[in-house]
PDB file of all heavy atoms in Angstrom:
ATOM      1  N   TYR A 301      10.408  16.458 -28.222  1.00 97.00           N
ATOM      2  CA  TYR A 301       9.184  17.224 -28.463  1.00 97.00           C
ATOM      3  C   TYR A 301       9.076  18.435 -27.536  1.00 97.00           C
ATOM      4  O   TYR A 301       8.258  19.327 -27.773  1.00 97.00           O
ATOM      5  CB  TYR A 301       7.953  16.342 -28.260  1.00 97.00           C
ATOM      6  CG  TYR A 301       7.776  15.287 -29.324  1.00 97.00           C
ATOM      7  CD1 TYR A 301       8.606  14.156 -29.364  1.00 97.00           C
ATOM      8  CD2 TYR A 301       6.797  15.408 -30.302  1.00 97.00           C
ATOM      9  CE1 TYR A 301       8.460  13.196 -30.335  1.00 97.00           C
ATOM     10  CE2 TYR A 301       6.638  14.440 -31.282  1.00 97.00           C
ATOM     11  CZ  TYR A 301       7.483  13.340 -31.300  1.00 97.00           C
ATOM     12  OH  TYR A 301       7.332  12.382 -32.283  1.00 97.00           O
ATOM     13  N   LEU A 302       9.897  18.460 -26.477  1.00 98.00           N
ATOM     14  CA  LEU A 302       9.751  19.469 -25.424  1.00 98.00           C
ATOM     15  C   LEU A 302      10.957  20.393 -25.340  1.00 98.00           C
ATOM     16  O   LEU A 302      11.196  21.025 -24.313  1.00 98.00           O
ATOM     17  CB  LEU A 302       9.524  18.774 -24.078  1.00 98.00           C
ATOM     18  CG  LEU A 302       8.377  17.759 -24.048  1.00 98.00           C
ATOM     19  CD1 LEU A 302       8.219  17.178 -22.657  1.00 98.00           C
ATOM     20  CD2 LEU A 302       7.069  18.390 -24.509  1.00 98.00           C
ATOM     21  N   ARG A 303      11.681  20.500 -26.434  1.00 98.00           N
ATOM     22  CA  ARG A 303      12.775  21.455 -26.461  1.00 98.00           C
ATOM     23  C   ARG A 303      12.213  22.869 -26.328  1.00 98.00           C
ATOM     24  O   ARG A 303      11.035  23.104 -26.621  1.00 98.00           O
ATOM     25  CB  ARG A 303      13.582  21.267 -27.741  1.00 98.00           C
ATOM     26  CG  ARG A 303      14.409  19.970 -27.717  1.00 98.00           C
ATOM     27  CD  ARG A 303      15.109  19.671 -29.028  1.00 98.00           C
ATOM     28  NE  ARG A 303      14.204  19.144 -30.029  1.00 98.00           N
ATOM     29  CZ  ARG A 303      14.600  18.395 -31.063  1.00 98.00           C
ATOM     30  NH1 ARG A 303      15.880  18.074 -31.197  1.00 98.00           N
ATOM     31  NH2 ARG A 303      13.728  17.950 -31.952  1.00 98.00           N
ATOM     32  N   PRO A 304      13.035  23.818 -25.868  1.00 97.00           N
ATOM     33  CA  PRO A 304      12.501  25.140 -25.527  1.00 97.00           C
ATOM     34  C   PRO A 304      11.738  25.845 -26.642  1.00 97.00           C
ATOM     35  O   PRO A 304      10.910  26.720 -26.365  1.00 97.00           O
ATOM     36  CB  PRO A 304      13.764  25.923 -25.141  1.00 97.00           C
ATOM     37  CG  PRO A 304      14.714  24.892 -24.632  1.00 97.00           C
ATOM     38  CD  PRO A 304      14.464  23.681 -25.486  1.00 97.00           C
ATOM     39  N   ASP A 305      11.978  25.472 -27.901  1.00 98.00           N
ATOM     40  CA  ASP A 305      11.263  26.122 -28.996  1.00 98.00           C
ATOM     41  C   ASP A 305      10.183  25.228 -29.597  1.00 98.00           C
ATOM     42  O   ASP A 305       9.676  25.496 -30.691  1.00 98.00           O
ATOM     43  CB  ASP A 305      12.245  26.557 -30.087  1.00 98.00           C
ATOM     44  CG  ASP A 305      13.013  25.392 -30.710  1.00 98.00           C
ATOM     45  OD1 ASP A 305      13.008  24.282 -30.113  1.00 98.00           O
ATOM     46  OD2 ASP A 305      13.613  25.580 -31.785  1.00 98.00           O
ATOM     47  N   GLU A 306       9.805  24.130 -28.876  1.00 98.00           N
ATOM     48  CA  GLU A 306       8.743  23.253 -29.384  1.00 98.00           C
ATOM     49  C   GLU A 306       7.580  23.219 -28.390  1.00 98.00           C
ATOM     50  O   GLU A 306       7.138  24.275 -27.918  1.00 98.00           O
ATOM     51  CB  GLU A 306       9.309  21.864 -29.686  1.00 98.00           C
ATOM     52  CG  GLU A 306      10.327  21.904 -30.832  1.00 98.00           C
ATOM     53  CD  GLU A 306      10.673  20.531 -31.378  1.00 98.00           C
ATOM     54  OE1 GLU A 306       9.751  19.711 -31.548  1.00 98.00           O
ATOM     55  OE2 GLU A 306      11.870  20.273 -31.636  1.00 98.00           O
ATOM     56  N   LEU A 307       7.061  22.071 -28.069  1.00 98.00           N
ATOM     57  CA  LEU A 307       5.904  21.975 -27.191  1.00 98.00           C
ATOM     58  C   LEU A 307       6.325  22.123 -25.733  1.00 98.00           C
ATOM     59  O   LEU A 307       7.486  21.945 -25.386  1.00 98.00           O
ATOM     60  CB  LEU A 307       5.188  20.647 -27.425  1.00 98.00           C
ATOM     61  CG  LEU A 307       4.775  20.369 -28.877  1.00 98.00           C
ATOM     62  CD1 LEU A 307       4.083  19.021 -28.998  1.00 98.00           C
ATOM     63  CD2 LEU A 307       3.885  21.480 -29.429  1.00 98.00           C
ATOM     64  N   HIS A 308       5.352  22.438 -24.865  1.00 98.00           N
ATOM     65  CA  HIS A 308       5.670  22.748 -23.476  1.00 98.00           C
ATOM     66  C   HIS A 308       5.756  21.499 -22.596  1.00 98.00           C
ATOM     67  O   HIS A 308       6.683  21.362 -21.803  1.00 98.00           O
ATOM     68  CB  HIS A 308       4.600  23.694 -22.893  1.00 98.00           C
ATOM     69  CG  HIS A 308       4.518  25.007 -23.591  1.00 98.00           C
ATOM     70  ND1 HIS A 308       3.916  25.152 -24.825  1.00 98.00           N
ATOM     71  CD2 HIS A 308       4.949  26.252 -23.230  1.00 98.00           C
ATOM     72  CE1 HIS A 308       3.993  26.424 -25.192  1.00 98.00           C
ATOM     73  NE2 HIS A 308       4.610  27.103 -24.249  1.00 98.00           N
ATOM     74  N   THR A 309       4.765  20.619 -22.717  1.00 97.00           N
ATOM     75  CA  THR A 309       4.705  19.421 -21.889  1.00 97.00           C
ATOM     76  C   THR A 309       4.177  18.255 -22.731  1.00 97.00           C
ATOM     77  O   THR A 309       3.729  18.445 -23.857  1.00 97.00           O
ATOM     78  CB  THR A 309       3.779  19.603 -20.662  1.00 97.00           C
ATOM     79  OG1 THR A 309       2.442  19.829 -21.119  1.00 97.00           O
ATOM     80  CG2 THR A 309       4.221  20.774 -19.796  1.00 97.00           C
ATOM     81  N   ALA A 310       4.233  17.062 -22.133  1.00 96.00           N
ATOM     82  CA  ALA A 310       3.726  15.873 -22.817  1.00 96.00           C
ATOM     83  C   ALA A 310       3.130  14.918 -21.795  1.00 96.00           C
ATOM     84  O   ALA A 310       3.574  14.875 -20.645  1.00 96.00           O
ATOM     85  CB  ALA A 310       4.840  15.173 -23.588  1.00 96.00           C
ATOM     86  N   PHE A 311       2.142  14.163 -22.217  1.00 94.00           N
ATOM     87  CA  PHE A 311       1.573  13.143 -21.342  1.00 94.00           C
ATOM     88  C   PHE A 311       2.619  12.080 -21.036  1.00 94.00           C
ATOM     89  O   PHE A 311       3.401  11.686 -21.896  1.00 94.00           O
ATOM     90  CB  PHE A 311       0.373  12.466 -21.998  1.00 94.00           C
ATOM     91  CG  PHE A 311      -0.859  13.303 -22.012  1.00 94.00           C
ATOM     92  CD1 PHE A 311      -1.594  13.440 -23.168  1.00 94.00           C
ATOM     93  CD2 PHE A 311      -1.297  13.955 -20.881  1.00 94.00           C
ATOM     94  CE1 PHE A 311      -2.732  14.216 -23.193  1.00 94.00           C
ATOM     95  CE2 PHE A 311      -2.432  14.733 -20.893  1.00 94.00           C
ATOM     96  CZ  PHE A 311      -3.157  14.861 -22.058  1.00 94.00           C
ATOM     97  N   ASN A 312       2.585  11.601 -19.802  1.00 94.00           N
ATOM     98  CA  ASN A 312       3.543  10.607 -19.341  1.00 94.00           C
ATOM     99  C   ASN A 312       2.891   9.234 -19.398  1.00 94.00           C
ATOM    100  O   ASN A 312       2.383   8.718 -18.400  1.00 94.00           O
ATOM    101  CB  ASN A 312       3.988  10.938 -17.913  1.00 94.00           C
ATOM    102  CG  ASN A 312       5.183  10.131 -17.470  1.00 94.00           C
ATOM    103  OD1 ASN A 312       5.438   9.053 -17.982  1.00 94.00           O
ATOM    104  ND2 ASN A 312       5.908  10.658 -16.504  1.00 94.00           N
ATOM    105  N   PHE A 313       2.914   8.629 -20.582  1.00 92.00           N
ATOM    106  CA  PHE A 313       2.279   7.326 -20.737  1.00 92.00           C
ATOM    107  C   PHE A 313       3.027   6.227 -19.999  1.00 92.00           C
ATOM    108  O   PHE A 313       2.433   5.238 -19.579  1.00 92.00           O
ATOM    109  CB  PHE A 313       2.135   6.984 -22.219  1.00 92.00           C
ATOM    110  CG  PHE A 313       1.131   7.842 -22.930  1.00 92.00           C
ATOM    111  CD1 PHE A 313       1.536   8.801 -23.846  1.00 92.00           C
ATOM    112  CD2 PHE A 313      -0.221   7.722 -22.666  1.00 92.00           C
ATOM    113  CE1 PHE A 313       0.616   9.595 -24.489  1.00 92.00           C
ATOM    114  CE2 PHE A 313      -1.154   8.516 -23.307  1.00 92.00           C
ATOM    115  CZ  PHE A 313      -0.737   9.463 -24.223  1.00 92.00           C
ATOM    116  N   ASP A 314       4.337   6.401 -19.827  1.00 93.00           N
ATOM    117  CA  ASP A 314       5.088   5.388 -19.069  1.00 93.00           C
ATOM    118  C   ASP A 314       4.562   5.290 -17.643  1.00 93.00           C
ATOM    119  O   ASP A 314       4.456   4.201 -17.082  1.00 93.00           O
ATOM    120  CB  ASP A 314       6.577   5.746 -19.048  1.00 93.00           C
ATOM    121  CG  ASP A 314       7.257   5.512 -20.382  1.00 93.00           C
ATOM    122  OD1 ASP A 314       6.643   4.865 -21.245  1.00 93.00           O
ATOM    123  OD2 ASP A 314       8.395   5.965 -20.558  1.00 93.00           O
ATOM    124  N   PHE A 315       4.247   6.438 -17.039  1.00 96.00           N
ATOM    125  CA  PHE A 315       3.733   6.444 -15.668  1.00 96.00           C
ATOM    126  C   PHE A 315       2.318   5.867 -15.629  1.00 96.00           C
ATOM    127  O   PHE A 315       1.986   5.059 -14.758  1.00 96.00           O
ATOM    128  CB  PHE A 315       3.745   7.872 -15.125  1.00 96.00           C
ATOM    129  CG  PHE A 315       3.390   7.986 -13.664  1.00 96.00           C
ATOM    130  CD1 PHE A 315       4.304   7.621 -12.685  1.00 96.00           C
ATOM    131  CD2 PHE A 315       2.156   8.459 -13.266  1.00 96.00           C
ATOM    132  CE1 PHE A 315       3.986   7.729 -11.329  1.00 96.00           C
ATOM    133  CE2 PHE A 315       1.827   8.574 -11.919  1.00 96.00           C
ATOM    134  CZ  PHE A 315       2.743   8.204 -10.951  1.00 96.00           C
ATOM    135  N   LEU A 316       1.471   6.262 -16.569  1.00 95.00           N
ATOM    136  CA  LEU A 316       0.099   5.751 -16.601  1.00 95.00           C
ATOM    137  C   LEU A 316       0.084   4.229 -16.728  1.00 95.00           C
ATOM    138  O   LEU A 316      -0.691   3.549 -16.054  1.00 95.00           O
ATOM    139  CB  LEU A 316      -0.661   6.394 -17.767  1.00 95.00           C
ATOM    140  CG  LEU A 316      -2.155   6.096 -17.909  1.00 95.00           C
ATOM    141  CD1 LEU A 316      -2.853   7.226 -18.666  1.00 95.00           C
ATOM    142  CD2 LEU A 316      -2.424   4.787 -18.641  1.00 95.00           C
ATOM    143  N   LYS A 317       0.930   3.700 -17.581  1.00 94.00           N
ATOM    144  CA  LYS A 317       0.895   2.275 -17.890  1.00 94.00           C
ATOM    145  C   LYS A 317       1.700   1.430 -16.900  1.00 94.00           C
ATOM    146  O   LYS A 317       1.623   0.204 -16.920  1.00 94.00           O
ATOM    147  CB  LYS A 317       1.425   2.046 -19.310  1.00 94.00           C
ATOM    148  CG  LYS A 317       0.540   2.663 -20.395  1.00 94.00           C
ATOM    149  CD  LYS A 317       1.198   2.553 -21.760  1.00 94.00           C
ATOM    150  CE  LYS A 317       0.363   3.216 -22.847  1.00 94.00           C
ATOM    151  NZ  LYS A 317      -0.878   2.499 -23.143  1.00 94.00           N
ATOM    152  N   CYS A 318       2.459   2.080 -16.032  1.00 96.00           N
ATOM    153  CA  CYS A 318       3.350   1.350 -15.123  1.00 96.00           C
ATOM    154  C   CYS A 318       2.562   0.555 -14.092  1.00 96.00           C
ATOM    155  O   CYS A 318       1.555   1.025 -13.553  1.00 96.00           O
ATOM    156  CB  CYS A 318       4.273   2.342 -14.428  1.00 96.00           C
ATOM    157  SG  CYS A 318       5.511   1.572 -13.358  1.00 96.00           S
TER     158      CYS A 318
END
Side-chain angles (χ1 to χ4, degrees):
Y301 290 73
L302 307 182
R303 288 174 283 204
D305 61 345
E306 295 193 42
L307 305 180
H308 298 76
T309 63
F311 285 132
N312 192 336
F313 291 109
D314 287 348
F315 187 75
L316 185 155
K317 295 173 183 290
C318 184

